[in-house]
């Protein structure tokens, strides 16, 4: 892929050299992406293959930073400035970037915020790093938690719901549910958050009732 992007000197490639090349030339990833879009792939397949390529590159660039069994935040600062972070919306950003690490199922709780999530295939494949607090703090990422979900409910629910004790969301026999998540979204919310985090959601009517 680097050759296809016009990088002809691939001799003695090392993780450090790749990191430094990407820091000096962030546009290199655009050239690599172009190689995929010009290939005989559908748009979706080209995007998936490019994201997998970025994950490959990130994994390679982590090799010399994770030679020891322990993970420390300081060593991962070598990634700062390298464009190696694939997001769920298909874009690639330089580290550090204030993005959220979440599984595909967790991301479904905030579907309008794909530009804020790390590509779940990347974070799941490199789970050793993306589950490490030291790694996350070094590169500016955060884990998806019930507190993060509670802070961003306005991206999912109607804003006028905030502060209401009760709303009629799903009327018996049907009704206008435009802009509302499906009823099972509320079940998934509580499966994720758990009753121990009920206090985080007191500003929103998110306890479903059989009356709708």
């Amino acid at each position: 892929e680097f050759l296809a992007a016009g990088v002809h000197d691939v001799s003695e490639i090392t993780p450090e050299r790749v990191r430094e090349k990407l820091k000096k030339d962030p546009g290199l990833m655009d050239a690599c992406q172009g190689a995929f879009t010009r290939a005989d792939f559908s748009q979706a397949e080209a995007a998936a293959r490019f994201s997998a390529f970025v994950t490959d590159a990130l994994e390679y660039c982590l090799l010399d930073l994770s030679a020891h069994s322990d993970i420390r935040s300081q060593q991962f600062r070598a990634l700062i400035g390298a464009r190696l972070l694939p997001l769920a919306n298909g874009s690639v950003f330089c580290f550090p970037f204030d993005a959220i690490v979440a599984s595909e199922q967790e991301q479904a709780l905030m579907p309008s915020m794909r530009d804020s999530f790390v590509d779940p295939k990347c974070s799941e494949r490199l789970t050793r790093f993306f589950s490490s607090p030291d790694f996350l703090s070094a590169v500016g990422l955060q884990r998806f938690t019930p507190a993060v979900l509670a802070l961003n409910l306005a991206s999912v629910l109607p804003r006028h719901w905030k502060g209401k004790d009760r709303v009629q969301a799903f009327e018996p026999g049907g009704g206008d549910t435009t802009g509302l998540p499906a009823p099972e979204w509320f079940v998934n919310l509580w499966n994720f958050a758990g009753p121990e985090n009920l206090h985080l959601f007191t500003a929103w009517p998110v306890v479903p009732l059989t009356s709708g």
Side-chain angles (χ1 to χ4, degrees):
E1 285 84 1
F2 281 116
L3 283 170
V7 180
H8 302 297
D9 180 15
V10 294
S11 63
E12 300 182 10
I13 283 183
T14 66
E16 182 179 10
R17 287 187 66 186
V18 173
R19 289 194 301 269
E20 293 308 311
K21 178 67 176 176
L22 290 171
K23 291 177 187 179
K24 292 177 182 177
D25 184 10
L28 179 59
M29 275 300 173
D30 293 325
C32 292
Q33 185 175 26
F36 285 96
T37 57
R38 289 191 299 272
D40 190 19
F41 301 130
S42 67
Q43 185 176 359
E45 185 178 3
R49 286 174 177 263
F50 175 61
S51 182
F53 162 71
V54 177
T55 302
D56 288 341
L58 175 57
E59 184 175 32
Y60 181 72
C61 287
L62 284 165
L63 286 178
D64 62 335
L65 303 179
S66 57
H68 304 289
S69 58
D70 59 330
I71 293 180
R72 304 174 197 166
S73 60
Q74 186 172 0
Q75 66 203 52
F76 294 111
R77 290 175 188 157
L79 290 170
I80 301 302
R83 192 177 170 196
L84 284 167
L85 180 64
L87 299 188
N89 66 357
S91 57
V92 181
F93 278 82
C94 294
F95 288 109
F97 186 74
D98 185 19
I100 303 168
V101 178
S103 68
E104 195 166 357
Q105 185 176 15
E106 291 168 348
Q107 292 186 24
L109 290 170
M110 293 169 55
S112 66
M113 294 185 63
R114 285 175 58 81
D115 56 348
S116 297
F117 285 113
V118 175
D119 184 335
K121 292 183 175 60
C122 175
S123 58
E124 288 167 13
R125 177 172 150 188
L126 302 179
T127 186
R128 177 192 172 201
F129 303 101
F130 284 93
S131 62
S132 164
D134 284 336
F135 175 79
L136 298 181
S137 65
V139 296
L141 303 175
Q142 62 175 316
R143 280 290 313 173
F144 187 58
T145 63
V148 172
L149 175 58
L151 285 172
N152 290 279
L153 279 180
S155 72
V156 184
L157 301 176
R159 292 179 183 271
H160 68 271
W161 280 20
K162 189 172 183 178
K164 299 286 184 65
D165 292 329
R166 179 170 178 164
V167 294
Q168 188 68 41
F170 303 98
E171 298 180 5
D176 185 11
T177 59
T178 303
L180 296 182
E184 55 266 25
W185 180 89
F186 295 90
V187 177
N188 294 335
L189 180 152
W190 290 113
N191 284 336
F192 171 69
E196 67 274 13
N197 288 302
L198 179 63
H199 64 284
L200 296 173
F201 300 89
T202 54
W204 293 87
V206 290
V207 178
L209 304 176
T210 55
S211 63

